[in-house]
Each structure stands twice: as structure tokens, then as C-alpha cells.
Amino acid sequence: MVPLLHMRGITKRYPGVLALDSVDFDLRAGEVHCLVGENGAGKSTLMKILSGAEGRDSGEILIDGLPAPISSPMEAQHLGIGIIYQDFKLVPSLSVAENILLGHEPRIGRTPLVDRKMMRRVSAGVLGQLGEPIDVQLPVESLSMAHRQIVEVARVISRKARIVAMDEPSASLTEKELTKLFDVIRILKREGVGVIYISHRLEEIFEIGDRVTVLRDGRVIHSCPISEADKRSLIRWMVGRESESEFPKLALQPGEEVFRVEELSRRPAVQEVSFSIRRKEIFGLAGLVGAGRSELARLIFGADRRDGGRIFLEGREISPRSPREAIDLGIGLLTEDRNRYGLIMQMNVKENITLANLRSLVRGLFIDRKYEKQISTRFVDQLRIKTPSLLQRVEFLSGGNRQKVVLARWLFTQSKLLIFDEPTAGIDVGVKYEIYQIINELAAQGIGIIVISSQLPELLGICDRIGVMCEGRLVGILHREEATREKIMLLATGGLREEMAASGERRQ
């Protein structure tokens, strides 16, 4: 049977780097073919070539067995290829209908006037085809992340795409929203659309995939039906070594209290939250999107003003009124959106590492550049940051190495409390393991650790206790031995709140 898509012998070189080395990849109509690999393995480069955004040095692309000369994104669209990127390519202020048909608006007769009635009808028809009756007159900025993702799919489908590539589509979705996306993908399969699915979350691969191909260092390492793979073998193929556990965990004996909040509030986002953290303990925060986890982190970090409550660090009451004051007190926040808030992308590795503690580098009127280089080199080596040099701009680093640069910055400030907000979002499995190891090592040093994550296996794998938030309140705290996905989700949706309140299981 002739595959819908066949990329054969694809090779791509950049200066000093062989990004793709004779890669073969094919896609059948009505299947989901998952593409996995560490950051830098070549997945995005292969998709850029398929989309016409990048040219190939050698190899060929066949669609329905016929050569497909793709040299631009426009040619790829004409051939029925649609790419949905992790960063949505939507215009927030425009309506759903305007986004779906942007650049392909129907006209009134031969006039340049847009037929808005037809636009709404066509857009609603495409969304109905996907089983999502979204109001097409709503501005996209008013939609949930899941519905924005579906608008992206509708935009691609409206252009008669037969091949749809999704690059990390679940990065910003809750579990409930991810279920909705998978329902849409299954509809596409039934209609004969071939889907290429790229994700670092391996559990998704087994839920939605029919086949999987693993890339490492620009080469195809393995390709097989999903039924012939398991998580352990995928990790081995991706990183080139056996992994005993996806989540390393040190057996540490918790010490004295290092951090505590009492009835911390900023209504309605955060309401009377109380908990404490001991040395050598990793404290997790779970909850659905909008539960108040990130807002709680911002209160602790001084980014938002609180309505009430008290904060204690190492037994002393503190009151950070700004991030600068929080940093000076010894609190560090690794934000969920590291590219926007955690890093200055146009600055180099060295400058990003030392940015939050420049005062310690000043000698007289000038920065001690030799000392700055020594400090940066130490953290690059300690955290195994992969970079050609300290002068490399961080925008050219992989997601995992960007996260390590942010972490290096907070270690340089000698933080006493570190808050990790979605620490492994968009990071490959090999670097995830390194991040978990680093978090363990920091906890062993006595630094207070808070991990906020929407990935329940991550929290269950690395945390000693997990606090669950629902509608701005901390509704329960589960110890490692008793925590399960089911208990966490029941608490997060309000299902166990009354039971635990009645039985006294809400612990600090």
C-alpha cells in the first residue's frame, strides 16, 4: 500500500551540525504516527522541511507515491500539508471565523468585500465537522487553550489538509482539555487524515499513537507499531541508555521547617492558603488550570500584593513587596513561561546567569568580568548546560538548556527557597531526568523546594508531599505513600473536599 506521505533519505546540514542524516519517515492515511526524541534530535527540522519553511540538502518527499517539490509553505499548503505549532499562530483580537479563514476569506461576488455571512457558515461547518460547536463570532482571546488548539486544527482543515503535523500540542492543556484534543484527532483519523504527533509526554504516545518513530542525533533509531513499544524501551532508544526509573528520588530525612505561609490570600485567586516545608523535602502543588497555583507562587515571590496572611522563611517573618525584595531575601521563582519571563533571549548565557545578582560582581565602579566568567563556567559545568560558549545567545539553546540557565541564575543568588513552576514543560525525557536529579540535589542541600506541575506522574514521582488546590484554596495535602492520581483529581475537582474536611485528613 502506497503511503500518504513518504520522506526518504532526508539530510540537512547547518554550519558545524548534521541536523538530519538520511532520515526515512512515512505516514499512512487515517493513522497517527508519533515522532519522539530528545531536544536537538531533529524532529522540528524534519517538520520545517515538510512545511516548506526549510530546504533539504538531499532526499525526496513523496505524496501518494508522487514526487512533491516543496520549496515554500504555500506549496506545502497546496499539497494538503498543515502544521500546528506549540506557539499558536492565531490573532487574539480577531474572531474565531476570521482566524479560521485568514488569508482565504470568501468574497461577495467579484468585489473585494468579505462575505462575512459565508465566513461564519464555513467556519461553523468546519468546527461542526470536528465535533466542537464553538461560537465563531467570539474573539480568540476569550477562548480556553483547548478551544484555541481546536481553532488551529479547524484553520488547517479548512484548507483541505490531508497531512496534519502537531508539534507539542498538549504543552498548555489540562488533562480534560487533552481528552478533547484526542477526540478531535480520532475524528480526523476516521476521515482519512494522516496525523504526525510530536510530544515529550510519553503517556500520550501510547494513548493516541498507531506507530512511533524515534530520532536521536538526526538519525532514525527505531520505528515500530506502538503495540511493540513500552515507555522504558522508548526512553532507551531516545537517550541511548537504559533507565531504571523515569523519576529519580533520593531517600532524605526531612529536617526542621524552612518555609511557611499562614492564611495567604489575594482574593479570589488565592484564599487563606496555609502550609509549611521542611528542609530536604520536596513539596508539590497540584490543581487544574485556574486553581491558583501560579498566583500563589507570585504572592510568595512578591510579584503580586497580598490581601492578607503571613510568610515565614527560616523562622523569620518576611514581607516581600517586589520580586527584587524576594530575591534579596533568598526566594527564587522559575516561571512557567521561561522564554517570556525567565530569560532575556537576546542576551548570552553568561549574562542571563549573573543577571539577578550583578551587585556581587561589582568591583568599584565596574563589573569584574573575570569573576563573572568563572561563576558562569562553574554553573555551566555543574548543571551540564550544553552550549558552544558562554557567549551563545540563549534563544539558540534547547528548552532543557534554557531551563538550566534559569536555574543557574537562582543558584547564583544563593536562594533559600526555590519555586519551580512547570519545570519540565516542553523538555525531552533525557533532560527531564537531569532536572529531577538537580531538584533532588538541591533538596538534599537543605533548600526549600516547591514544584508546581500539571503532570501528575511528575508530582507523584518526585514529591514527598503534594498540596492540591481548587478554586484558590488548598483543599488537601497528601503524603507520598497515600497520594494517587485518583485522589489528587478528586481533590482538584472538589470531590473529596467535604470527605477530607470531615475526617481531618487535611494536613500541614
Side-chain angles (χ1 to χ4, degrees):
M1 181 179 175
V2 176
L4 174 60
L5 167 71
H6 193 176
M7 303 180 77
R8 190 158 58 193
I10 303 296
T11 297
K12 177 66 179 180
R13 291 180 177 85
Y14 295 108
V17 178
L18 181 59
L20 294 172
D21 186 3
S22 300
V23 168
D24 288 338
F25 181 86
D26 68 87
L27 177 70
R28 299 166 192 153
E31 79 160 348
V32 177
H33 193 156
C34 299
L35 187 61
V36 300
E38 295 189 271
N39 288 333
K43 308 183 299 296
S44 294
T45 302
L46 189 65
M47 291 304 99
K48 286 176 182 177
I49 289 171
L50 178 62
S51 72
E54 293 273 4
R56 57 192 182 275
D57 295 328
S58 61
E60 61 179 341
I61 300 175
L62 307 175
I63 295 180
D64 293 326
L66 301 175
I70 301 173
S71 58
S72 71
M74 189 63 71
E75 286 184 354
Q77 285 183 24
H78 287 322
L79 288 166
I81 298 168
I83 310 290
I84 299 172
Y85 295 99
Q86 180 178 344
D87 300 322
F88 299 148
K89 306 301 179 186
L90 301 172
V91 182
S93 59
L94 295 183
S95 71
V96 169
E98 289 167 330
N99 269 281
I100 290 174
L101 295 175
L102 189 62
H104 296 76
E105 298 88 348
R107 305 292 174 179
I108 299 175
R110 297 179 179 274
T111 73
L113 300 175
V114 174
D115 188 336
R116 297 198 173 275
K117 194 173 181 179
M118 174 68 74
M119 179 186 286
R120 290 192 292 271
R121 187 162 62 246
V122 170
S123 301
V126 176
L127 289 168
Q129 181 184 340
L130 297 176
E132 282 297 324
I134 301 169
D135 185 347
V136 298
Q137 298 184 72
L138 290 174
V140 160
E141 61 192 357
S142 69
L143 302 182
S144 68
M145 296 303 290
H147 279 147
R148 293 185 197 192
Q149 184 74 263
I150 289 163
V151 171
E152 281 273 21
V153 175
R155 183 175 57 84
V156 168
I157 296 302
S158 72
R159 297 173 190 182
K160 310 300 180 187
R162 301 169 59 213
I163 299 165
V164 176
M166 298 184 175
D167 191 357
E168 295 289 347
S170 64
S172 303
L173 304 184
T174 64
E175 288 197 18
K176 184 177 179 181
E177 291 172 334
L178 183 61
T179 299
K180 187 174 292 187
L181 174 64
F182 283 172
D183 288 341
V184 169
I185 290 175
R186 292 184 182 105
I187 291 171
L188 296 179
K189 282 180 60 177
R190 288 198 296 270
E191 295 181 355
V193 175
V195 177
I196 303 170
Y197 193 89
I198 301 173
S199 179
H200 289 311
R201 299 182 180 181
L202 299 186
E203 58 273 12
E204 296 174 11
I205 303 301
F206 294 98
E207 183 170 348
I208 198 65
D210 298 301
R211 283 192 295 156
V212 60
T213 291
V214 181
L215 290 182
R216 187 172 78 230
D217 298 328
R219 298 183 181 91
V220 173
I221 299 300
H222 197 81
S223 187
C224 66
I226 203 70
S227 60
E228 297 176 8
D230 56 35
K231 185 176 285 190
R232 190 167 179 174
S233 60
L234 278 183
I235 293 172
R236 184 176 71 250
W237 296 329
M238 288 167 66
V239 304
R241 66 176 186 272
E242 194 69 53
S243 176
E244 293 184 5
S245 172
E246 189 179 351
F247 303 102
K249 180 63 181 153
L250 296 178
L252 301 173
Q253 186 63 41
E256 73 276 10
E257 180 184 283
V258 65
F259 178 75
R260 182 173 84 255
V261 295
E262 295 179 354
E263 307 211 340
L264 201 59
S265 297
R266 181 184 171 88
R267 294 178 178 82
V270 179
Q271 301 180 49
E272 298 176 344
V273 170
S274 300
F275 65 91
S276 63
I277 303 172
R278 294 189 286 173
R279 294 194 190 278
K280 300 188 178 181
E281 177 185 47
I282 299 173
F283 185 83
L285 276 176
L288 303 178
V289 170
R293 297 167 303 161
S294 296
E295 291 81 358
L296 175 61
R298 288 176 58 84
L299 285 184
I300 295 170
F301 192 57
D304 293 329
R305 188 64 60 87
R306 64 184 186 270
D307 299 333
R310 305 169 75 188
I311 303 174
F312 297 84
L313 184 63
E314 294 186 328
R316 182 168 64 95
E317 186 169 1
I318 61 173
S319 185
R321 292 169 295 181
S322 69
R324 178 71 263 171
E325 286 190 17
I327 293 167
D328 291 340
L329 289 165
I331 299 175
L333 171 62
L334 287 83
T335 63
E336 178 180 6
D337 191 345
R338 56 181 169 268
N339 294 344
R340 187 174 177 186
Y341 299 115
L343 295 163
I344 299 181
M345 305 299 284
Q346 291 73 37
M347 291 175 69
N348 62 40
V349 171
K350 178 180 64 177
E351 292 165 335
N352 270 280
I353 289 174
T354 59
L355 187 62
N357 198 15
L358 280 175
R359 285 178 291 188
S360 69
L361 302 175
V362 174
R363 302 292 182 268
L365 297 175
F366 303 99
I367 292 174
D368 186 337
R369 296 297 179 186
K370 185 177 179 180
Y371 181 48
E372 181 184 33
K373 183 178 179 182
Q374 288 175 351
I375 289 292
S376 301
T377 300
R378 188 181 89 203
F379 284 118
V380 166
D381 293 340
Q382 178 185 337
L383 301 179
R384 298 178 292 280
I385 299 172
K386 293 180 182 178
T387 176
S389 78
L390 296 175
L391 301 179
Q392 174 80 318
R393 282 162 57 167
V394 294
E395 64 180 313
F396 298 119
L397 300 183
S398 68
N401 286 300
R402 290 179 187 176
Q403 184 72 306
K404 289 181 181 180
V405 170
V406 178
L407 181 53
R409 176 192 299 164
W410 295 121
L411 294 182
F412 182 42
T413 64
Q414 299 182 314
S415 298
K416 301 168 185 176
L417 173 73
L418 284 174
I419 307 170
F420 293 81
D421 194 352
E422 301 289 354
T424 62
I427 293 177
D428 67 70
V429 68
V431 180
K432 275 185 182 182
Y433 191 86
E434 289 185 53
I435 295 291
Y436 298 145
Q437 285 181 314
I438 292 168
I439 291 173
N440 274 307
E441 291 164 7
L442 295 173
Q445 294 169 23
I447 296 173
I449 303 290
I450 299 175
V451 176
I452 301 170
S453 179
S454 56
Q455 299 182 51
L456 296 187
E458 180 170 85
L459 293 176
L460 292 166
I462 67 171
C463 295
D464 299 290
R465 290 186 300 145
I466 300 171
V468 186
M469 295 194 67
C470 176
E471 297 177 356
R473 297 183 181 276
L474 187 66
V475 293
I477 297 177
L478 301 170
H479 286 263
R480 180 180 180 86
E481 313 79 54
E482 65 179 338
T484 63
R485 291 174 66 113
E486 292 74 20
K487 277 190 177 181
I488 292 172
M489 286 308 297
L490 278 170
L491 280 168
T493 55
L496 273 184
R497 189 186 310 177
E498 295 80 5
E499 289 180 39
M500 293 192 74
S503 63
E505 289 183 33
R506 186 175 181 270
R507 287 184 284 269
Q508 307 254 324

